């Protein structure tokens, strides 16, 4: 089911969108560098790899195809930790904080090399998150540890740094440039399944390898798909959404 003809059409559409984004983003960063801008992200920088990530099931399928059994098991364990966090977090802020501090780093991350072990299959949010500030500013809890003076200086630096949105140190144009990837994933899911599925990266990647879940999705039976996810302990309204 994972590599059925219909699902291959979905993943092919996503991969084409990834390729377009990579070409466009490289071109933009080349211009940015020539104009004096700097992108601090590089191999070995892992400060953002413990952030929660929202993806489409179309993207999750791409990653699911790239996993071996051991890494798939690690992804499932991470998904279950994310669900447990979502069930007990009092609000979004607490959910994000605990994901970063307690659920921890993505199991696809190679902690020895500091690189993504499935780099070619990484989802959109991993592709379009770039920092115009050093990696320190991407670490969990950095804002909370800043003094009032440091926060004021941070805001001033962000406001005068080209490429930011004026509020955060991430490079906004590279995020905006990825919107066609989301649109391509949406169209691919609608064309193939007549429905869309969005949610947590690790939950959807785990479910993408579940034949009964994918059969229900392919048949447009979102009720059965939800029941299958629920039966596996992987259903939560904020982490698994059908449109």
């Amino acid at each position: 089911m994972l590599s059925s003809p219909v699902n291959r059409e979905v993943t092919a559409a996503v991969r084409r969108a990834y390729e377009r984004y990579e070409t466009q983003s490289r071109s933009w960063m080349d211009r940015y560098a020539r104009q004096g801008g700097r992108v601090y992200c590089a191999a070995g920088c892992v400060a953002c790899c413990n952030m929660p990530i929202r993806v489409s099931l179309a993207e999750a399928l791409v990653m699911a195809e790239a996993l071996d059994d051991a890494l798939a098991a690690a992804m499932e364990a991470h998904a279950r930790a994310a669900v447990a966090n979502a069930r007990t977090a009092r609000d979004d802020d607490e959910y994000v904080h605990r994901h970063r501090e307690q659920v921890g780093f993505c199991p696809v991350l190679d902690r020895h090399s500091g690189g993504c072990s499935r780099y070619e299959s990484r989802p959109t949010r991993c592709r379009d998150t770039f920092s115009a500030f050093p990696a320190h500013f991407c670490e969990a809890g950095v804002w909370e540890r800043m003094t009032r003076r440091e926060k004021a200086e941070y805001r001033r630096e962000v406001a005068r740094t080209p490429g930011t949105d004026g509020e955060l140190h991430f490079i906004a144009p590279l995020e905006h440039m990825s919107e066609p990837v989301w649109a391509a994933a949406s169209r691919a899911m609608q064309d193939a399944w007549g429905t869309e599925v969005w949610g947590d990266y690790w939950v959807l990647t785990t479910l993408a390898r579940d034949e009964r879940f994918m059969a229900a999705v392919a048949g447009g039976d979102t009720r059965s798909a939800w029941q299958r996810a629920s039966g596996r302990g992987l259903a939560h309204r904020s982490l698994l959404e059908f449109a």
Side-chain angles (χ1 to χ4, degrees), residues 34-95:
R34 289 196 298 270
Q35 294 166 2
R38 181 173 178 183
V39 177
Y40 281 84
C41 307
C45 172
V46 302
C48 66
C49 295
N50 56 5
M51 292 181 178
I53 303 174
R54 178 178 169 83
V55 301
S56 63
L57 181 57
E59 294 175 88
L61 269 172
V62 173
M63 179 55 73
E65 290 179 352
L67 302 178
D68 57 27
D69 289 344
L71 195 48
M75 292 287 275
E76 180 172 344
H78 204 83
R80 293 187 180 282
V83 171
N85 181 29
R87 287 174 176 166
T88 57
R90 290 167 294 186
D91 52 38
D92 289 344
D93 288 342
E94 183 176 43
Y95 173 79

Side-chain angles (χ1 to χ4, degrees), residues 128-145:
D128 72 358
T129 300
F130 292 92
S131 176
F133 283 23
H136 161 74
F137 290 95
C138 301
E139 294 174 357
V142 65
W143 179 257
E144 291 77 9
R145 293 191 296 270

Side-chain angles (χ1 to χ4, degrees), residues 158-237:
V158 168
R160 59 181 174 236
T161 299
T164 73
D165 63 1
E167 296 182 0
L168 296 173
H169 62 280
F170 297 107
I171 299 177
L174 292 170
E175 293 183 358
H176 299 157
M177 206 176 293
S178 70
E179 291 174 5
V181 181
W182 302 98
S186 174
R187 288 193 302 270
M189 291 188 289
Q190 284 286 353
D191 291 346
W193 307 323
T195 189
E196 297 179 33
V197 189
W198 299 84
D200 176 79
Y201 168 45
W202 299 278
V203 168
L204 290 190
T205 301
T206 299
L207 291 173
R209 293 173 60 89
D210 186 302
E211 290 191 3
R212 287 173 57 185
F213 176 84
M214 289 305 303
V217 170
D221 187 354
T222 57
R223 180 178 180 181
S224 292
W226 176 267
Q227 289 174 338
R228 176 57 178 170
S230 181
R232 292 196 58 187
L234 294 171
H236 188 279
R237 294 295 179 188

Side-chain angles (χ1 to χ4, degrees), residues 133 136-137 142-157:
F133 283 23
H136 161 74
F137 290 95
V142 65
W143 179 257
E144 291 77 9
R145 293 191 296 270
M146 284 185 186
T147 65
R148 183 178 300 179
R149 178 177 295 179
E150 288 171 335
K151 289 178 179 178
E153 179 58 24
Y154 171 87
R155 293 189 181 100
R156 286 192 292 271
E157 282 297 318

